[in-house]
């Protein structure tokens, strides 16, 4: 074969290979393998869900939701306790309410997490406190001084979320008023803290959500900096995981059973009028690049929504709390959804 022909053949193969790889990568970004479960949750007739600000999952795959029961964030904060139950346990398949509690305990619900022993931890930004309950709703611990803000070892300033290690020690993202992460012993004794306000490494602009991986590394949703910062259990900075879109916020982060990293973002403009562009779910690959965006309809596009918290169960179902429409959304992997529909 003439050299010219060989060159042309090699060039064609190179172009074909590159275009094939590019098309595959493009399909991976475009083809989101999830769909919205529009029948979930199945709440009682007439039941009104408040803004669902916190979501967690226990060892039985029950979904726990912390909601505001008709109350919204106002300045100044309301002074009275919410008279309705604010913590719901939902069946992960049907979305029916299995249990509820929390009446007359909270002013302004925010974050929720469930630890390995199925204890439920929540934060109240108005009360400036962290609460720990057992799975039946019995109060086990309170940390922070009620209605008093501060930046010392005894006080918080609008704390947002909690992450609990396997040994029972826990981390608090604190929060709107403070720009720090605080670590406590299992009994609630202050251990240490890190972080100041800013956009540099180790600084935060509203640490809004927090979670741990299987190595006890700490992942912080640095909301206004539109990024995730990762630290070891001693608070030493490890890396930054960016959202590659120029949006307003990255409010929450979670890690699934396979150690896949998920987050949610939110975008809006305020000039000339407030325009809510909406939220998406982000899934990251091992290289900390985004695999896909998933919007409120189950497609890539942003629509009216404001995702506040995210959790993923062992089957890969994704749950988010949409505070714009006061809804909890469940997204199923398409293979799982198809299998379920074929068995009905």
């Amino acid at each position: 074969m003439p050299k010219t022909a060989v060159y042309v053949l090699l060039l064609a193969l190179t172009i074909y290979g590159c275009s094939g790889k590019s098309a595959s990568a493009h399909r991976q970004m475009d083809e989101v393998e999830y769909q919205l479960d529009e029948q979930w949750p199945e709440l009682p007739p007439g039941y009104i869900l408040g803004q669902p600000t916190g979501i967690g999952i226990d060892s039985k795959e029950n979904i726990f939701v912390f909601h505001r029961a008709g109350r919204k964030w106002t300045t100044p904060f309301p002074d009275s306790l919410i008279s309705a139950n604010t913590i719901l346990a939902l069946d992960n398949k049907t979305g029916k309410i299995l249990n509820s509690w929390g009446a007359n305990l909270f002013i302004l619900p925010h974050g929720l997490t469930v630890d390995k022993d199925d204890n439920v931890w929540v934060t109240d930004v108005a009360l400036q406190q962290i609460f720990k309950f057992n799975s039946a709703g019995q109060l086990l611990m309170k940390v922070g001084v009620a209605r008093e803000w501060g930046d010392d070892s005894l006080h918080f300033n609008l704390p947002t979320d909690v992450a609990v290690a396997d040994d029972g020690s826990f981390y608090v993202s604190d929060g709107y008023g403070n720009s720090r992460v605080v670590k406590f012993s299992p009994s609630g004794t202050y251990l240490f803290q890190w972080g100041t306000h800013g956009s540099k490494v180790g600084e935060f602009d509203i640490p809004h959500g927090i979670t741990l991986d299987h190595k006890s590394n700490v992942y912080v949703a640095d909301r206004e900096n539109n990024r995730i910062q990762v630290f070891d259990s001693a608070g030493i900075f490890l890396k930054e995981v960016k959202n590659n879109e120029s949006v307003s916020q990255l409010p929450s982060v979670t890690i699934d059973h396979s150690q896949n990293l998920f987050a949610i973002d939110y975008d809006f403009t305020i000039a000339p009028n407030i325009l809510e562009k909406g939220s998406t779910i982000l899934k990251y690959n091992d290289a900390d690049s985004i695999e896909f965006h998933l919007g409120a309809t189950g497609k890539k596009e942003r629509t009216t929504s404001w995702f506040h918290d995210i959790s993923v169960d062992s089957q890969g179902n994704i749950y988010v709390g949409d505070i714009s429409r006061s809804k909890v959304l469940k997204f199923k992997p398409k293979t799982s959804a198809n299998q379920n529909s074929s068995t009905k």
Side-chain angles (χ1 to χ4, degrees):
M1 182 180 292
K3 289 184 177 180
T4 303
V6 172
Y7 174 76
V8 171
L9 177 60
L10 290 174
L11 181 61
L13 289 173
T14 301
I15 294 173
Y16 176 80
C18 290
S19 63
K21 182 177 180 180
S22 175
S24 175
H26 184 70
R27 284 196 301 270
Q28 186 179 15
M29 283 293 293
D30 284 353
E31 295 178 5
V32 179
E33 295 300 318
Y34 289 85
Q35 68 182 50
L36 176 65
D37 185 348
E38 298 185 3
Q39 306 304 315
W40 197 97
E42 187 179 336
L43 299 176
Y47 186 90
I48 299 176
L49 183 72
Q51 290 182 328
T53 55
I55 295 181
I57 303 176
D58 71 6
S59 62
K60 299 177 182 178
E61 304 283 345
N62 297 319
I63 313 303
F64 284 79
V65 177
F66 198 24
H67 74 109
R68 290 176 176 163
R71 181 161 289 178
K72 294 186 178 181
W73 187 304
T74 58
T75 304
F77 287 141
D79 188 62
S80 62
L81 299 172
I82 298 172
S83 61
N85 285 335
T86 51
I87 299 176
L88 306 179
L90 305 178
D91 182 270
N92 74 325
K93 294 182 179 178
T94 65
K96 291 183 178 180
I97 297 176
L98 303 174
N99 192 15
S100 65
W101 75 85
N104 299 307
L105 290 177
F106 307 110
I107 294 177
L108 199 66
H110 202 271
L112 179 148
T113 193
V114 183
D115 68 22
K116 69 179 183 63
D117 298 317
D118 290 342
N119 297 307
V120 180
W121 301 70
V122 298
T123 68
D124 187 313
V125 290
L127 283 173
Q128 311 283 9
Q129 288 179 300
I130 313 301
F131 298 77
K132 176 185 178 182
F133 300 89
N134 66 16
S135 59
Q138 178 184 1
L139 181 63
L140 303 178
M141 183 194 304
K142 285 193 292 187
V143 183
V145 181
R147 303 174 191 260
E148 288 187 9
W149 63 269
D151 59 1
D152 55 26
S153 62
L154 299 176
H155 294 82
F156 302 106
N157 196 344
L158 311 180
T160 52
D161 203 9
V162 182
V164 186
D166 287 345
D167 66 0
S169 61
F170 59 97
Y171 302 81
V172 176
S173 50
D174 179 36
Y176 289 96
N178 295 327
S179 298
R180 63 177 183 169
V181 173
V182 190
K183 185 174 183 179
F184 295 87
S185 74
S187 63
T189 300
Y190 171 90
L191 297 177
F192 60 87
Q193 67 182 57
W194 71 90
T196 57
H197 184 265
S199 58
K200 298 178 181 178
V201 166
E203 298 177 342
F204 304 109
D205 192 354
I206 305 185
H208 193 265
I210 190 168
T211 195
L212 307 177
D213 67 13
H214 68 293
K215 298 179 181 179
S216 295
N217 293 322
V218 184
Y219 291 66
V220 182
D222 188 4
R223 195 183 83 171
E224 300 302 303
N225 286 323
N226 188 31
R227 66 181 179 180
I228 301 163
Q229 292 197 73
V230 186
F231 307 85
D232 68 13
S233 58
I236 304 301
F237 176 82
L238 298 177
K239 64 180 179 179
E240 176 187 74
V241 182
K242 296 182 179 181
N243 182 1
N244 61 10
E245 288 199 2
S246 297
V247 297
S248 304
Q249 301 177 353
L250 192 151
S252 186
V253 60
T254 194
I255 296 174
D256 71 7
H257 291 258
S258 300
Q259 297 302 297
N260 295 306
L261 177 63
F262 291 81
I264 49 179
D265 66 13
Y266 173 62
D267 199 22
F268 67 97
T269 58
I270 58 174
N273 299 303
I274 295 178
L275 174 62
E276 185 176 279
K277 298 178 181 178
S279 287
T280 64
I281 297 166
L282 319 175
K283 182 182 180 183
Y284 291 85
N285 60 25
D286 292 340
D288 294 333
S289 296
I290 295 173
E291 286 189 10
F292 63 73
H293 289 266
L294 176 63
T297 62
K299 299 180 181 180
K300 289 195 323 174
E301 292 74 21
R302 297 179 188 274
T303 56
T304 301
S305 57
W306 188 348
F307 298 165
H308 197 267
D309 199 10
I310 180 172
S311 197
V312 182
D313 69 21
S314 65
Q315 303 303 308
N317 299 303
I318 302 172
Y319 304 83
V320 295
D322 181 356
I323 63 172
S324 177
R325 300 177 296 162
S326 294
K327 290 185 176 182
V328 181
L329 305 179
K330 177 180 180 179
F331 299 91
K332 294 182 177 182
K334 285 186 177 178
T335 53
S336 172
N338 292 338
Q339 289 172 357
N340 289 343
S341 62
S342 64
T343 58
K344 289 182 179 179

